[in-house]
Amino acid sequence: HSAKITVFVTDQNSCTGKDSVTVSFKVCGGIGELAGVGLQIFPNPTSGIFTIEIKSPKSDMMDISILNQQGETVWSRAGVHVDGTATVNPDLGQLPQGTYLVQVSNGSGKLNRKVVIQK
């Protein structure tokens, strides 16, 4: 992957200058992401009731939180036992439409996915 970054500079005499650089980078997993753990959300977008599917190569206890755009927890379930695959079916039908963050964590890392509620 690469990104082109352009900078515009104006000095106190209103003289302007511009320069660009292309930065190449390797897309890596985020720091603290759960290695080998898969997270799927469907249907997405949803009217409020949906499935969170967690797949893990080892038996683990996971905490699931759903946060609104202000970072407030609107739904959570602690201690979900994942041994291969686990599914959870939250009902967020009472919440307003918008984008929410589904966060799955086990104490050593976390995974984030977005879910969109459309009514």
Side-chain angles (χ1 to χ4, degrees):
H1 286 74
S2 64
K4 183 177 181 179
I5 300 170
T6 303
V7 178
F8 297 88
V9 179
T10 304
D11 70 7
Q12 66 272 19
N13 298 320
S14 297
C15 293
T16 59
K18 170 182 115 168
D19 200 2
S20 298
V21 64
T22 299
V23 178
S24 297
F25 56 93
K26 184 174 100 177
V27 177
C28 301
I31 296 171
E33 283 217 343
L34 298 172
V37 176
L39 175 59
Q40 287 193 310
I41 297 168
F42 53 89
N44 191 7
T46 175
S47 60
I49 299 173
F50 59 100
T51 299
I52 299 171
E53 183 180 84
I54 306 165
K55 291 185 178 182
S56 178
K58 61 183 173 73
S59 180
D60 207 346
M61 297 299 279
M62 304 271 184
D63 295 333
I64 304 170
S65 298
I66 301 176
L67 295 87
N68 63 17
Q69 291 179 335
Q70 290 73 41
E72 301 162 334
T73 301
V74 295
W75 185 94
S76 66
R77 177 153 315 149
V80 175
H81 183 243
V82 181
D83 190 6
T85 301
T87 57
V88 180
N89 301 96
D91 180 355
L92 304 183
Q94 79 284 5
L95 295 175
Q97 338 193 104
T99 302
Y100 294 82
L101 184 68
V102 176
Q103 198 170 74
V104 174
S105 61
N106 72 351
S108 65
K110 61 185 166 186
L111 282 174
N112 295 316
R113 297 288 184 273
K114 291 182 179 173
V115 63
V116 176
I117 296 177
Q118 286 182 343
K119 299 183 180 188

